[in-house]
Amino acid sequence: MNTLPQWAKTLNQLGEKRTPCFFVINYQGTSGEVFPLSALPKDILFSFSEEKAAVSNPILIEKHPIPYPIFEKSFQKVFSHLEKGDTALINLTFATEIDAVDLNKVYQNAKAKYKILYKDEWVCFSPEIFVKIEADRIKTYPMKGTISATLPDAESLLLNNPKEIDEHKKVVALLSTDLAHVATDIHVSKFRYVDVIEKSTGNLLQTSSEIIGTLQSDWQAHLGEILAKLLPAGSICGTPREKTMEIIREAETYQRGYYTGIAGIFDGESLDTCVLIRFIERIGDKFYYKSGAGITAQSKPESEYKEILEKIYIPN
């Protein structure tokens, strides 16, 4: 980004003053909103602590998947670019219509590390960290590779799947390169560990890694600039970034908006941010659950279609 967007300039100013704030940024990093915590609107709620209200029954989702031929058409557009070498990894996403849900109820009862309710427009319950900054150290945790935990030997299948290994290696390399634009001493401290993602219809297993770098001691005054250089998030875009974003515009059938963007809180000393995945949006009088899958040259359309639908759930 040659010119910093307004949200990044505001974050630089608040960071320099050590003013605690909350922010949401769209997928492309072109627009966003930043609120000092003292001026946070009442219709924007967030929790970054895995709080969960007591609920007697899980919140179920009635989904209306896009027909497989429509998915396959977009998949083939992406796959043709993979075969030509235009991209090595691309995250293909769709908006699946679901029956109406109470966004506030979903926010209150979903179990997730990161939860955001943005007015009466969308709710997000994300398991994925974007970056954390503490004591001049920046860390990121790419999540790539998913399997149903209900399958026999699920963890072994996930860890030994060549496609999942390839996808994860590519995103770790991409995010390591991204961090090198803002930090030094980049290294992978943990590679492909397994997390359990709980959901009422059967848990998921997902692999993550930890990548660490060192920032300059005055990073707070450059907070917006740092984040702008890292967007769009590599885990939900692909590599190389600019070409992959072109392919996404060609292949996807809707606008992502805030979905796959980021949200975060700066407490005056440290930063915690998440990728806006596991995302339900109200558009007019309809509701959509936005989900995606990482596509590589080893991907099979049937498996990726299944993964996109498998991710449509509320963690209870």
Side-chain angles (χ1 to χ4, degrees), residues 34-196:
V34 182
F35 306 98
L37 290 187
S38 60
L40 185 69
K42 295 185 182 301
D43 55 0
I44 297 177
L45 305 177
F46 71 91
S47 169
F48 283 17
S49 61
E50 207 155 355
E51 295 173 354
K52 178 179 180 294
V55 61
S56 56
N57 296 305
I59 300 172
L60 301 179
I61 291 178
E62 291 295 329
K63 54 194 172 187
H64 308 283
I66 59 167
Y68 177 76
I70 293 177
F71 168 84
E72 188 176 27
K73 183 178 180 180
S74 292
F75 177 91
Q76 292 302 337
K77 285 182 180 179
V78 166
F79 202 74
S80 67
H81 286 284
L82 285 160
E83 289 183 313
K84 289 186 290 186
D86 295 334
T87 181
L89 168 66
I90 185 167
N91 201 68
L92 181 62
T93 75
F94 286 84
T96 299
E97 187 174 350
I98 62 173
D99 285 355
V101 293
D102 183 326
L103 297 182
N104 183 67
K105 184 177 180 183
V106 171
Y107 171 80
Q108 296 295 339
N109 291 291
K111 182 181 179 183
K113 166 62 176 169
Y114 300 98
K115 299 195 297 183
I116 301 99
L117 177 64
Y118 184 83
K119 304 177 181 179
D120 196 30
E121 297 179 19
W122 53 264
V123 64
C124 177
F125 33 93
S126 177
E128 183 169 356
I129 300 166
F130 178 49
V131 295
K132 286 189 172 187
I133 303 177
E134 294 178 300
D136 303 339
R137 303 273 276 179
I138 185 169
K139 301 179 181 181
T140 189
Y141 300 82
M143 297 180 74
K144 278 295 175 188
T146 305
I147 194 172
S148 171
T150 62
L151 295 175
D153 299 319
E155 183 170 338
S156 178
L157 288 172
L158 176 60
L159 290 176
N160 295 292
N161 183 309
K163 182 264 177 180
E164 301 291 7
I165 294 171
D166 181 56
E167 181 183 353
H168 199 91
K169 284 182 176 179
K170 283 182 168 65
V171 78
V172 167
L174 172 61
L175 269 67
S176 296
T177 299
D178 284 350
L179 286 193
H181 293 309
V182 300
T184 58
D185 188 28
I186 310 301
H187 60 281
V188 179
S189 57
K190 299 178 188 176
F191 183 71
R192 289 195 86 222
Y193 59 87
V194 177
D195 287 320
V196 178

